[in-house]
Amino acid sequence: MEFFVDTADINEIRELNELGVVDGVTTNPSLILKSGRAILDVTKEICDLIDGPVSAEVVATQADAMIAEGRKLAQVASNIAVKLPLTWDGLKACKTLTHEGKMVNVTLCFSANQALLAAKAGATFISPFVGRLDDINLDGMDLIADIRTIYDNYTFGTKILSASMRSVNHIFESALIGADVMTAPPDVIKKLTRHPLTDKGLDQFMADWKKTGQEIL
Ligand code: G3P
């Protein structure tokens, strides 16, 4: 499973990238707001840092304007994935932009039928929002499993990008189901390292090492 980071914070992306765990980045208007940066500037900086796909989202709602914004965003760098909402106009824009050879990430997906349409419109990525379904007492992970089954039934090439990952279990379950990609905030990715037995074991090793009186360097 590829790991994307869901942030527009360049310092957080740089820190995770040094560990080699960043296969791509996803942003959205809310994350651009949080960064306090101009969208084209921060997107360019991220693209210079990361080789993989960097999603940048349009804010128009009519297909023609979405296409124009998508083309402008795609000019920032060759690794831009234009992010489009899963609306009728968004799918029209998806069809046009993918025909032009641009990567497209169709976002705000909350049903398997929406994901089926996005695949038929040629989307590079489909982003089902797991956490937001959990928020309203539905099972977001069921949606990932349903889309996996449908895409495999027909060998659609659209990659399933599990989004709105709020916990390490969301990442674990996405990997078990076979999502192609997941995108999570940096703090959730960092939590993947944690295990109490690792901490306990390390404490014991350090205590015993001290008793040896030795040094390695
Ligand atoms: O990339 C968008 C998605 O991951 C949003 O997550 O936590 O705002 O629902 P969240």
Side-chain angles (χ1 to χ4, degrees):
M1 184 167 67
E2 290 179 274
F3 272 35
F4 288 3
V5 190
D6 201 25
T7 184
D9 184 320
I10 196 78
N11 292 325
E12 291 191 306
I13 295 167
R14 192 175 287 117
E15 186 192 0
L16 285 168
N17 194 39
E18 281 165 6
L19 206 67
V21 298
V22 182
D23 299 306
V25 172
T26 50
T27 66
N28 60 38
S30 304
L31 294 171
I32 295 296
L33 172 69
K34 202 171 162 191
S35 77
R37 303 273 310 274
I39 183 169
L40 296 180
D41 292 347
V42 71
T43 304
K44 172 86 174 72
E45 208 174 325
I46 296 168
C47 288
D48 287 345
L49 192 63
I50 302 296
D51 292 333
V54 174
S55 291
E57 188 160 343
V58 304
V59 290
T61 53
Q62 303 300 309
D64 286 351
M66 286 172 158
I67 292 164
E69 287 184 358
R71 286 177 180 150
K72 183 164 182 178
L73 291 169
Q75 280 173 359
V76 168
S78 59
N79 54 332
I80 286 286
V82 178
K83 210 172 180 191
L84 299 165
L86 210 156
T87 59
W88 193 254
D89 282 81
L91 293 178
K92 279 161 77 176
C94 173
K95 191 81 185 163
T96 299
L97 292 171
T98 53
H99 272 196
E100 292 176 2
K102 296 171 178 60
M103 287 189 285
V104 169
N105 176 358
V106 176
T107 189
L108 290 168
C109 171
F110 294 97
S111 81
N113 280 336
Q114 289 180 318
L116 181 55
L117 272 178
K120 292 194 75 69
T124 317
F125 301 100
I126 182 69
S127 289
F129 277 24
V130 173
R132 292 192 194 186
L133 283 167
D134 289 357
D135 285 345
I136 58 164
N137 208 25
L138 294 171
D139 190 336
M141 214 46 74
D142 282 352
L143 175 59
I144 302 297
D146 287 346
I147 299 172
R148 181 75 281 157
T149 301
I150 290 169
Y151 280 10
D152 289 350
N153 282 348
Y154 301 101
T155 59
F156 283 118
T158 300
K159 287 186 171 182
I160 300 172
L161 198 175
S162 280
S164 189
M165 299 277 96
R166 306 272 181 75
S167 70
V168 290
N169 276 350
H170 280 157
I171 297 174
F172 166 65
E173 288 174 36
S174 292
L176 271 186
I177 292 166
D180 302 285
V181 192
M182 74 84 202
T183 190
D187 62 311
V188 176
I189 293 176
K190 285 181 187 168
K191 280 182 193 161
L192 291 171
T193 60
R194 292 193 199 154
H195 198 288
L197 290 180
T198 303
D199 297 339
K200 191 178 170 198
L202 187 59
D203 286 348
Q204 182 68 57
F205 287 156
M206 292 305 99
D208 289 344
W209 180 249
K210 204 171 175 186
K211 287 179 204 160
T212 70
Q214 300 180 44
E215 288 179 356
I216 292 176
L217 291 176

